[in-house]
Amino acid sequence: PPPANAGRAPGPPDGGWGWGGVFGAFVSIGFAYAFPKGIAIFYKEIQDFFGTSYSEIAWVSSIMLATTYGAEIVSSILVNRYGSRPVVIFGGLLCGIGMVSAAFCTSILQLYICVGFITGFGLALNLQPSVIIIGKYFLKRRPIANGLAMAGSPVMLCTLAPLNQFLFDNFGWRGSFLILGAILLNCCVAGALFRPIKAATASVKTPKEEVTKDAMEMNSPTNVPVEIKTEEEGGKDCCEKINQYLDFSLFKHRGFLIYLIGNVLMFLGFFAPIVFLAPYAKHIGIDEYSSAFLLSILAIVDMIARPTTGIIANSKWVRPRIQYFFSFSIAFNGTCHLLCPLASNYMGLVVYSIFFGLAFGMVCAMLFETLMDLVGAARFTSAVGLVTIAECCTILLGPPIGGTLIDTFGDYKYMFIKCGAVMVLAGTFLFIMNYYNYRMLAKEEKGRKAKEEDSKSVRTENKGRNNWDKETIQDGPELEPLKEELEGIKKEVNGT
Amino acid sequence: EKNIPLDSASRIELSCRLDNKYSHLKSFQVTWKRGNETIRHINKTENSWSIQLMVLDSSKLGSYSCTLKGEEEISAVFHLQGKMPKIEAKDKPIVSYEGDAAVLICKSCGYTPIAWTWYMTNGSEQIVINDSLLADKYVINKMSANVTHLKILKLAKENDGVYWCEAAFELGKSKGKLELKVLSLMVPLKPFLAIVAEVGVLVTVVFLYEMYSKKKEKRAEDGREFDQVEQL
């Protein structure tokens, strides 16, 4: 990776300490997604201990997931205010406290609070900033960074499952919760790796050599320079104040709305097949261990698919059209589900698991990357908070609706058909709407360039100066030669 | 000789049939016996003799023989055995802590037992656990038809060991084995403190490295500025 210019250049360093941040995000994201699934191993024992029914125990998971997704918006606000690092460290502490207090619980209600709310909230504070920090550290290599960080989820799941079993056999559920609390404190280490970047959010690149390569890239996040201008032109009224915490003006953003609608639709069918894969396998007569193995196959393929998708998405053919790639992977995922009922024996289900793992990994790797691509790194913090709170409902509704379909018809194939249909629909919607969006962006870009040609020297001079004011660059004597370089680059870009 | 496993109370008919190769035998007597006791046979046809038994409890189990006494002595033996349903109990030890409670569960797969009895092992003896006598220590609950729970409260080190749950059926008994381990709170505390220490060390290392590299950068920048000022 190229050496970090963090202190000097405006714009994401795309390397150096950034990879440390990716590792931290890997750990954080991994815990956030894998932990709720991992503690299901303890449920049978806790159920017997407290003498409750299975559904009362399952509420622990539901509360945890609901809190993680619902609290994301609070997380966004906190990150906007305080930056990523303090939020993740606080989140790690909260998770640790939650699990340690869960070890001493004497009733199921206390478990709901300690494991469900407190740990769930801590995980939400972990998840958001990790995703956001990638946008702050990377631009050119962002898809790879996103793919690698998101790979944390399957890796952690594969690690936590046997670890939890080992802890349970040796320490019982109380001792395991105590030790898991300590393990979750490692999120604080992940947070420590999130070194704050001094340079803010402009996508301008100073090194001259990279200009021609970047010309294409500058066309996609065109929103960013426009946003910096609008933020300055407005005065500090109360709307501005709210927008400082959470950017509600995103609801006027075309790309954001497209992403929101498409994703909310997609999540209706996203998680249900995973939840019901093992029960479906048992239903058609496969034994318990082979059914569990299907999920392992899925996780292993997922693990490989995520970074690979990141690399593909970063290539120069795919990156400008990443939204199409994303829509394609959603539709591909949906098609897998539609074809699943055709699998009638174990080999068929193995093939399905492999393709499902591949599709699942592809979608997850690009989930946040596409949002960053649409709204830019500056508004990503608020965007991801708003999107998650909207998705929260459909994510939580998906599996129960699938369950109801299975119970009503007594057959799993309707659930697969419903999930497949919803996802193919979402993929097609996103594909068409993004085609429209790309065209509108191209038109706006042409219009903007035309206006710039008219008042070239004054505007580029002003724009350059505004960009520099926005960033905290220290010293005077350095500024002059760099500024001239910057204007030179702008002229070159406008020329292409 | 034949083994007949029975899993519940039933009416059994045992019959002995004389094979064709013995049809030359003229005068003989066929008796059904259980041990020394003779049983009257119910059915007799030309060359078969049968008895009917109502096996209601384990007292009727055993070996039944039909003997042909005449020129030769031929006999056949039936062994009526009780085949007890297996008892499911966790084969891995159940871990709990001093002062905490533990729940031991046994499940009978198949038939519903008439009664459950729990035993504690003291050395080589098995002692019955009487929950009415020690009501604040042991609670035995029949959770459903085939499942029994033994809840042990206020655990202490002495409660560590092997426990047996015995299910009594009409025709016999079946046992399940459970192991309880009682740990002190120090046991998980050690790995916990080790991991917390690891986290503390890593966080400190990361922050120290960051301060060090920032100082290095600042020094390098100051050096560069100095050069540029000189150039200008």
PDB file of all heavy atoms in Angstrom, chain A residues 6-24:
ATOM      1  N   ALA A   6      -1.611  10.998   5.586  1.00  0.00           N
ATOM      2  CA  ALA A   6      -2.737  11.465   6.407  1.00  0.00           C
ATOM      3  C   ALA A   6      -2.561  12.873   6.923  1.00  0.00           C
ATOM      4  O   ALA A   6      -3.495  13.654   6.938  1.00  0.00           O
ATOM      5  CB  ALA A   6      -2.958  10.509   7.572  1.00  0.00           C
ATOM      6  N   GLY A   7      -1.391  13.188   7.377  1.00  0.00           N
ATOM      7  CA  GLY A   7      -1.259  14.506   7.986  1.00  0.00           C
ATOM      8  C   GLY A   7      -1.301  15.637   6.983  1.00  0.00           C
ATOM      9  O   GLY A   7      -1.699  16.739   7.302  1.00  0.00           O
ATOM     10  N   ARG A   8      -0.926  15.348   5.746  1.00  0.00           N
ATOM     11  CA  ARG A   8      -0.659  16.423   4.804  1.00  0.00           C
ATOM     12  C   ARG A   8      -1.763  16.596   3.770  1.00  0.00           C
ATOM     13  O   ARG A   8      -2.261  17.671   3.551  1.00  0.00           O
ATOM     14  CB  ARG A   8       0.645  16.081   4.069  1.00  0.00           C
ATOM     15  CG  ARG A   8       1.417  17.273   3.698  1.00  0.00           C
ATOM     16  CD  ARG A   8       2.874  16.867   3.577  1.00  0.00           C
ATOM     17  NE  ARG A   8       3.552  17.800   2.685  1.00  0.00           N
ATOM     18  CZ  ARG A   8       3.869  17.550   1.425  1.00  0.00           C
ATOM     19  NH1 ARG A   8       3.590  16.405   0.900  1.00  0.00           N
ATOM     20  NH2 ARG A   8       4.476  18.435   0.698  1.00  0.00           N
ATOM     21  N   ALA A   9      -2.118  15.469   3.135  1.00  0.00           N
ATOM     22  CA  ALA A   9      -3.021  15.604   1.993  1.00  0.00           C
ATOM     23  C   ALA A   9      -4.476  15.602   2.438  1.00  0.00           C
ATOM     24  O   ALA A   9      -4.825  14.976   3.420  1.00  0.00           O
ATOM     25  CB  ALA A   9      -2.787  14.458   1.025  1.00  0.00           C
ATOM     26  N   PRO A  10      -5.296  16.294   1.706  1.00  0.00           N
ATOM     27  CA  PRO A  10      -6.730  16.180   1.969  1.00  0.00           C
ATOM     28  C   PRO A  10      -7.214  14.936   1.256  1.00  0.00           C
ATOM     29  O   PRO A  10      -6.763  14.653   0.166  1.00  0.00           O
ATOM     30  CB  PRO A  10      -7.306  17.421   1.314  1.00  0.00           C
ATOM     31  CG  PRO A  10      -6.363  17.722   0.206  1.00  0.00           C
ATOM     32  CD  PRO A  10      -5.018  17.188   0.578  1.00  0.00           C
ATOM     33  N   GLY A  11      -8.135  14.183   1.842  1.00  0.00           N
ATOM     34  CA  GLY A  11      -8.620  13.006   1.133  1.00  0.00           C
ATOM     35  C   GLY A  11      -8.135  11.742   1.803  1.00  0.00           C
ATOM     36  O   GLY A  11      -7.142  11.739   2.503  1.00  0.00           O
ATOM     37  N   PRO A  12      -8.879  10.669   1.595  1.00  0.00           N
ATOM     38  CA  PRO A  12      -8.592   9.413   2.287  1.00  0.00           C
ATOM     39  C   PRO A  12      -7.220   8.874   1.930  1.00  0.00           C
ATOM     40  O   PRO A  12      -6.821   8.912   0.779  1.00  0.00           O
ATOM     41  CB  PRO A  12      -9.685   8.466   1.775  1.00  0.00           C
ATOM     42  CG  PRO A  12     -10.744   9.334   1.240  1.00  0.00           C
ATOM     43  CD  PRO A  12     -10.077  10.557   0.752  1.00  0.00           C
ATOM     44  N   PRO A  13      -6.483   8.386   2.900  1.00  0.00           N
ATOM     45  CA  PRO A  13      -5.138   7.883   2.646  1.00  0.00           C
ATOM     46  C   PRO A  13      -5.115   6.610   1.816  1.00  0.00           C
ATOM     47  O   PRO A  13      -4.117   6.325   1.185  1.00  0.00           O
ATOM     48  CB  PRO A  13      -4.558   7.638   4.041  1.00  0.00           C
ATOM     49  CG  PRO A  13      -5.687   7.661   4.968  1.00  0.00           C
ATOM     50  CD  PRO A  13      -6.810   8.392   4.339  1.00  0.00           C
ATOM     51  N   ASP A  14      -6.170   5.833   1.848  1.00  0.00           N
ATOM     52  CA  ASP A  14      -6.233   4.621   1.029  1.00  0.00           C
ATOM     53  C   ASP A  14      -5.111   3.646   1.301  1.00  0.00           C
ATOM     54  O   ASP A  14      -4.604   3.008   0.382  1.00  0.00           O
ATOM     55  CB  ASP A  14      -6.201   4.983  -0.482  1.00  0.00           C
ATOM     56  CG  ASP A  14      -7.588   4.887  -1.072  1.00  0.00           C
ATOM     57  OD1 ASP A  14      -8.253   3.859  -0.842  1.00  0.00           O
ATOM     58  OD2 ASP A  14      -8.001   5.830  -1.751  1.00  0.00           O
ATOM     59  N   GLY A  15      -4.727   3.510   2.530  1.00  0.00           N
ATOM     60  CA  GLY A  15      -3.655   2.558   2.799  1.00  0.00           C
ATOM     61  C   GLY A  15      -2.991   2.912   4.102  1.00  0.00           C
ATOM     62  O   GLY A  15      -3.533   3.670   4.891  1.00  0.00           O
ATOM     63  N   GLY A  16      -1.812   2.333   4.351  1.00  0.00           N
ATOM     64  CA  GLY A  16      -1.082   2.641   5.564  1.00  0.00           C
ATOM     65  C   GLY A  16      -1.889   2.252   6.788  1.00  0.00           C
ATOM     66  O   GLY A  16      -2.290   1.103   6.920  1.00  0.00           O
ATOM     67  N   TRP A  17      -2.143   3.227   7.660  1.00  0.00           N
ATOM     68  CA  TRP A  17      -2.870   2.928   8.884  1.00  0.00           C
ATOM     69  C   TRP A  17      -4.307   2.492   8.602  1.00  0.00           C
ATOM     70  O   TRP A  17      -4.952   1.873   9.441  1.00  0.00           O
ATOM     71  CB  TRP A  17      -2.861   4.146   9.814  1.00  0.00           C
ATOM     72  CG  TRP A  17      -3.296   3.791  11.181  1.00  0.00           C
ATOM     73  CD1 TRP A  17      -4.447   4.149  11.793  1.00  0.00           C
ATOM     74  CD2 TRP A  17      -2.593   2.945  12.094  1.00  0.00           C
ATOM     75  NE1 TRP A  17      -4.521   3.587  13.045  1.00  0.00           N
ATOM     76  CE2 TRP A  17      -3.396   2.854  13.254  1.00  0.00           C
ATOM     77  CE3 TRP A  17      -1.375   2.268  12.059  1.00  0.00           C
ATOM     78  CZ2 TRP A  17      -3.007   2.107  14.366  1.00  0.00           C
ATOM     79  CZ3 TRP A  17      -1.003   1.536  13.164  1.00  0.00           C
ATOM     80  CH2 TRP A  17      -1.809   1.464  14.293  1.00  0.00           C
ATOM     81  N   GLY A  18      -4.798   2.792   7.419  1.00  0.00           N
ATOM     82  CA  GLY A  18      -6.151   2.397   7.052  1.00  0.00           C
ATOM     83  C   GLY A  18      -6.373   0.912   7.189  1.00  0.00           C
ATOM     84  O   GLY A  18      -7.446   0.455   7.587  1.00  0.00           O
ATOM     85  N   TRP A  19      -5.354   0.099   6.842  1.00  0.00           N
ATOM     86  CA  TRP A  19      -5.537  -1.348   6.930  1.00  0.00           C
ATOM     87  C   TRP A  19      -5.691  -1.790   8.381  1.00  0.00           C
ATOM     88  O   TRP A  19      -6.356  -2.773   8.676  1.00  0.00           O
ATOM     89  CB  TRP A  19      -4.375  -2.084   6.265  1.00  0.00           C
ATOM     90  CG  TRP A  19      -4.310  -1.811   4.801  1.00  0.00           C
ATOM     91  CD1 TRP A  19      -3.344  -1.120   4.135  1.00  0.00           C
ATOM     92  CD2 TRP A  19      -5.280  -2.181   3.805  1.00  0.00           C
ATOM     93  NE1 TRP A  19      -3.631  -1.060   2.793  1.00  0.00           N
ATOM     94  CE2 TRP A  19      -4.815  -1.691   2.568  1.00  0.00           C
ATOM     95  CE3 TRP A  19      -6.485  -2.881   3.833  1.00  0.00           C
ATOM     96  CZ2 TRP A  19      -5.498  -1.871   1.373  1.00  0.00           C
ATOM     97  CZ3 TRP A  19      -7.185  -3.068   2.648  1.00  0.00           C
ATOM     98  CH2 TRP A  19      -6.693  -2.564   1.434  1.00  0.00           C
ATOM     99  N   GLY A  20      -5.055  -1.066   9.308  1.00  0.00           N
ATOM    100  CA  GLY A  20      -5.288  -1.330  10.727  1.00  0.00           C
ATOM    101  C   GLY A  20      -6.742  -1.078  11.071  1.00  0.00           C
ATOM    102  O   GLY A  20      -7.369  -1.828  11.820  1.00  0.00           O
ATOM    103  N   GLY A  21      -7.287   0.016  10.471  1.00  0.00           N
ATOM    104  CA  GLY A  21      -8.697   0.322  10.671  1.00  0.00           C
ATOM    105  C   GLY A  21      -9.585  -0.775  10.107  1.00  0.00           C
ATOM    106  O   GLY A  21     -10.615  -1.124  10.690  1.00  0.00           O
ATOM    107  N   VAL A  22      -9.179  -1.339   8.956  1.00  0.00           N
ATOM    108  CA  VAL A  22      -9.957  -2.436   8.353  1.00  0.00           C
ATOM    109  C   VAL A  22      -9.975  -3.632   9.293  1.00  0.00           C
ATOM    110  O   VAL A  22     -11.019  -4.261   9.496  1.00  0.00           O
ATOM    111  CB  VAL A  22      -9.378  -2.852   6.985  1.00  0.00           C
ATOM    112  CG1 VAL A  22     -10.013  -4.145   6.500  1.00  0.00           C
ATOM    113  CG2 VAL A  22      -9.619  -1.769   5.969  1.00  0.00           C
ATOM    114  N   PHE A  23      -8.823  -3.929   9.899  1.00  0.00           N
ATOM    115  CA  PHE A  23      -8.772  -5.052  10.836  1.00  0.00           C
ATOM    116  C   PHE A  23      -9.688  -4.796  12.030  1.00  0.00           C
ATOM    117  O   PHE A  23     -10.418  -5.681  12.482  1.00  0.00           O
ATOM    118  CB  PHE A  23      -7.339  -5.288  11.307  1.00  0.00           C
ATOM    119  CG  PHE A  23      -7.221  -6.397  12.301  1.00  0.00           C
ATOM    120  CD1 PHE A  23      -7.410  -7.707  11.913  1.00  0.00           C
ATOM    121  CD2 PHE A  23      -6.950  -6.134  13.631  1.00  0.00           C
ATOM    122  CE1 PHE A  23      -7.327  -8.739  12.830  1.00  0.00           C
ATOM    123  CE2 PHE A  23      -6.858  -7.149  14.554  1.00  0.00           C
ATOM    124  CZ  PHE A  23      -7.050  -8.454  14.158  1.00  0.00           C
ATOM    125  N   GLY A  24      -9.640  -3.569  12.551  1.00  0.00           N
ATOM    126  CA  GLY A  24     -10.523  -3.215  13.661  1.00  0.00           C
ATOM    127  C   GLY A  24     -11.981  -3.362  13.269  1.00  0.00           C
ATOM    128  O   GLY A  24     -12.794  -3.897  14.029  1.00  0.00           O
TER     129      GLY A  24
END
